[in-house]
Amino acid sequence: MTQLHTPKASRNQERGRLSFMGSVSPSRGRFRDRGGEGGGTSRRAPGTFCLVPAPKMPAGRRSLLVTSATLVSLASSMALAAPAAVAVPTPTPGPSASASARPSATPPAAMSTVGGARLGQPGTQVQLAGGAPVLPKDLTARSWIVADAESGQVLAAHNAHWRLPPASTLKMLFADTVLPRFPRTQTHQVTVQDLAGVGSGSSMVGIKEGETYTVHDLWLGVFLRSGNDAVHVLSAMNGGVPATVQEMNAHAEELQALDTHVITPDGYDAPGQVSSAYDLTLFARSGLQKKDFREYCSTVRAKFPGATTTKKGKSARSSFEIQNTNRLLAGDYDISQYPGIAGVKNGNTTNAGATFTGVAERGGRVLLVTVMNPEKPDHNEVYKESAALLDWGFQAAGKVTPVGELVRPRGGAGASAQPGAGDSGGESGQAGGGSGASGGAGASANPSGSPVAAATGSGHATGVGTAMAIAAGLMLLLGGGAFLVNRRWPLPDLVRRRR
C-alpha cells in the first residue's frame, strides 16, 4: 500500500521562529512527572517570547458574575433543586475493524452528537449573526471544523463526526499518549526488532539500526518528518506496538474522542482505522497542554543524527537537517507561512488523502482548524483550505453563534488525565478542596454544644439552621461561579509570533 506522507521539500527559508509561551502554571512538579519538562527545540536563546500578563476582568464578565449571583440567590430562595448532570450522547456506531479503510463518498445520515446535536448532522453547520462573513467558497474537504482553542466553541463545521482515515494526523494522539512516558534526554539504541512492521512506502526520518538516539531526537523525527520509523522505535520503548495501540484507544476514549479507532500508532492505512475532524481537534487541544508537544509541533527545522563512521580509528557521527512538513508552518513555493501559525500536524495516505490540524493566534484569539481529504487535486490544497478557514474564523469570531463545543476529557477538566497540563483542572480540584475545607471549618465552629446545633429540635431553630445552610451554600456557589467565569480551558498560555 503506497503511503504519501511526505510532501516536496520547501523552497522557502525560515522567516521567523514560532513557539508557545512558557506555562505560567505553578504545577511544574506534576508536569515533570509526565516527561513534559525540557529545554525545548529552538536553537535560539531562551526568553525569545515574553509572558503576557493576565488580563483584567472585563466589565461584561463582572456583569455576568453579578447576574449569576442574583440567579443563584433567587433559586435558593425558591428552594429549587439543582439540575441533574447531562450525559454526553453516545455516538453513532461506526465501521467495524474488519470494514474497508476507504470511506464512502457520502457522509452518514446520522453521526455522533458529542459536542452538540448539530455536529451530528451531515453538511455544513454554521449560524451567522449580523456582520458575520460568509464561509469561504470552493471548500472541497469531506470534513472540517473551526473552533476556539480556549473556550472550545465550534464556530462552524462540515461533517465534523464523519469517521474517516486520519493518516499521520493520528500521530497527535500517539504523542499525547506516549510523550509523557520518557524524559527527552533518555537514550535508546535501535534494534532490528524496533523497526519491524514499518509499512511499505512510509515516511521516514532516517533512523538506522545499531545507532543510538535520544528521545528528543525521536520526537523531532515524529513531528517534523512524520517519521513512521521514529513512531515504531518509541512504541517499542513503550512496550510494543500492540500495547501502544491499546493505550491510544484508551486515551481517545478518555478524551471523549469516540469516533476514533486506532489500528496503527503512526496513522498508516489499515482497515477499520478511523477518526474524525472533531476527534483530531480534541487530540490537538489536549496535546497543546504539554510544553514539549507545543515546542515540537512548532519547530520549523532541526538537526537530526546521521550515521556513525570510523576513519583512522576515530568514530564520528554526522547530522543532517530536517524540516517540518507542515506547509503552513514552513512555507512552500505555492503557499506562504501562515501568520501566527504554531503547528500542529499534517498527513497524507492513499485512503485518507490529505489531512491537517493547525493552531494559530491572531489578536489574542487562538483557533484550531482541522481539514480532512479535500477533493480538489491542487498542490497543497489541504493547507489552502485550512488557511481560508482560519482567516474566516478570525473574522467571524464573536459574530457567529457556536454550533457546538469541544468537550472536556472525562472527569471534568481532565486534571487526572493530564497532570500539570491543564491549569484550570488543577485549580478546579483545589477549589473543590477549598469547599470541603470550608465545610469542615463550619463544623468546627459549631460544636454540638453550640446554639445552632442544640436547637435543632425546635422548628424555629431548624429554620434558622436551614437559612444558615442556604447562606453557606450560596457563598460556595458564588465562589464556584466566580471561578468558572474567570477560567478558560484548555490553553495555559497563548501563542505569540515575534516580529
Side-chain angles (χ1 to χ4, degrees):
M1 182 181 298
T2 303
Q3 306 292 302
L4 307 171
H5 287 280
T6 309
K8 297 178 181 178
S10 171
R11 301 182 185 181
N12 290 6
Q13 297 297 316
E14 181 180 1
R15 290 179 288 176
R17 179 71 176 93
L18 302 172
S19 174
F20 278 81
M21 292 169 11
S23 174
V24 296
S25 169
S27 54
R28 180 174 295 272
R30 291 182 297 157
F31 199 89
R32 184 181 297 111
D33 292 340
R34 288 179 61 84
E37 292 295 336
T41 58
S42 174
R43 290 175 288 164
R44 297 186 179 184
T48 302
F49 297 87
C50 59
L51 294 178
V52 176
K56 297 181 179 179
M57 185 191 301
R61 289 195 180 181
R62 290 196 296 269
S63 300
L64 179 59
L65 179 57
V66 173
T67 303
S68 64
T70 304
L71 291 175
V72 170
S73 300
L74 180 60
S76 299
S77 64
M78 297 177 65
L80 296 177
V86 179
V88 175
T90 303
T92 304
S96 64
S98 61
S100 172
R102 186 180 297 277
S104 66
T106 305
M111 295 172 280
S112 167
T113 55
V114 172
R118 291 193 61 173
L119 299 182
Q121 300 175 13
T124 301
Q125 306 301 320
V126 64
Q127 189 168 340
L128 303 176
V134 297
L135 284 165
K137 297 180 179 179
D138 301 326
L139 293 175
T140 66
R142 291 187 169 186
S143 176
W144 55 258
I145 190 171
V146 183
D148 188 298
E150 293 189 297
S151 69
Q153 295 179 342
V154 177
L155 306 183
H158 180 77
N159 302 325
H161 280 291
W162 192 359
R163 304 181 79 187
L164 299 167
S168 282
T169 45
L170 192 65
K171 289 183 172 76
M172 294 187 296
L173 175 61
F174 172 75
D176 195 37
T177 305
V178 178
L179 192 151
R181 305 292 169 82
F182 309 104
R184 61 198 295 154
T185 55
Q186 180 175 333
T187 59
H188 178 78
Q189 187 175 30
V190 176
T191 67
V192 176
Q193 291 75 17
D194 293 344
L195 298 174
V198 176
S200 174
S202 289
S203 55
M204 312 279 269
V205 69
I207 291 175
K208 305 296 182 183
E209 58 194 58
E211 296 286 0
T212 299
Y213 300 86
T214 65
V215 168
H216 173 73
D217 295 330
L218 296 173
W219 283 118
L220 286 174
V222 171
F223 277 92
L224 273 67
R225 297 305 301 172
S226 201
N228 289 7
D229 48 355
V231 170
H232 276 255
V233 172
L234 285 164
S235 296
M237 296 172 61
N238 192 50
V241 167
T244 300
V245 167
Q246 184 177 4
E247 291 176 4
M248 290 172 66
N249 279 314
H251 188 46
E253 183 176 355
E254 182 181 40
L255 296 175
Q256 301 198 59
L258 305 183
D259 299 324
T260 298
H261 183 68
V262 182
I263 303 294
T264 64
D266 49 20
Y268 191 90
D269 283 340
Q273 178 155 274
V274 290
S275 189
S276 66
Y278 184 88
D279 284 9
L280 293 175
T281 309
L282 290 182
F283 301 151
R285 194 183 190 214
S286 178
L288 289 168
Q289 303 307 300
K290 300 172 178 63
K291 177 184 176 183
D292 282 2
F293 189 105
R294 296 194 299 271
E295 292 181 349
Y296 287 130
C297 78
S298 64
T299 298
V300 177
R301 54 173 52 86
K303 293 292 184 180
F304 193 82
T308 300
T309 58
T310 302
K311 191 174 183 179
K312 296 182 179 180
K314 295 183 178 181
S315 296
R317 192 173 188 182
S318 60
S319 64
F320 55 93
E321 185 175 271
I322 57 175
Q323 187 181 55
N324 203 312
T325 55
N326 174 356
R327 293 310 176 212
L328 289 190
L329 183 67
D332 205 353
Y333 68 88
D334 61 344
I335 191 168
S336 299
Q337 182 189 68
Y338 190 83
I341 192 72
V344 176
K345 191 70 188 76
N346 58 298
N348 199 324
T349 66
T350 302
N351 287 338
T355 60
F356 176 70
T357 297
V359 62
E361 182 271 343
R362 183 182 301 172
R365 187 180 297 273
V366 184
L367 295 184
L368 282 163
V369 62
T370 296
V371 173
M372 300 187 74
N373 198 352
E375 296 181 359
K376 194 174 182 179
D378 289 7
H379 184 248
N380 283 331
E381 181 63 22
V382 71
Y383 301 111
K384 295 173 183 176
E385 295 192 17
S386 296
L389 285 169
L390 282 171
D391 285 343
W392 174 86
F394 286 121
Q395 296 172 17
K399 302 176 182 177
V400 296
T401 301
V403 295
E405 65 172 350
L406 302 177
V407 296
R408 299 186 182 191
R410 296 189 188 277
S416 61
Q418 303 171 69
D423 294 346
S424 62
E427 293 187 19
S428 179
Q430 293 171 6
S435 298
S438 298
S444 301
N446 294 282
S448 58
S450 67
V452 173
T456 55
S458 67
H460 176 71
T462 301
V464 173
T466 302
M468 292 185 65
I470 291 175
L474 178 59
M475 294 298 295
L476 294 178
L477 287 172
L478 286 175
F483 170 79
L484 292 174
V485 168
N486 285 284
R487 291 297 301 177
R488 292 189 296 175
W489 196 92
L491 294 182
D493 45 38
L494 298 177
V495 56
R496 287 290 183 266
R497 172 83 184 273
R498 182 146 182 118
R499 299 187 182 281

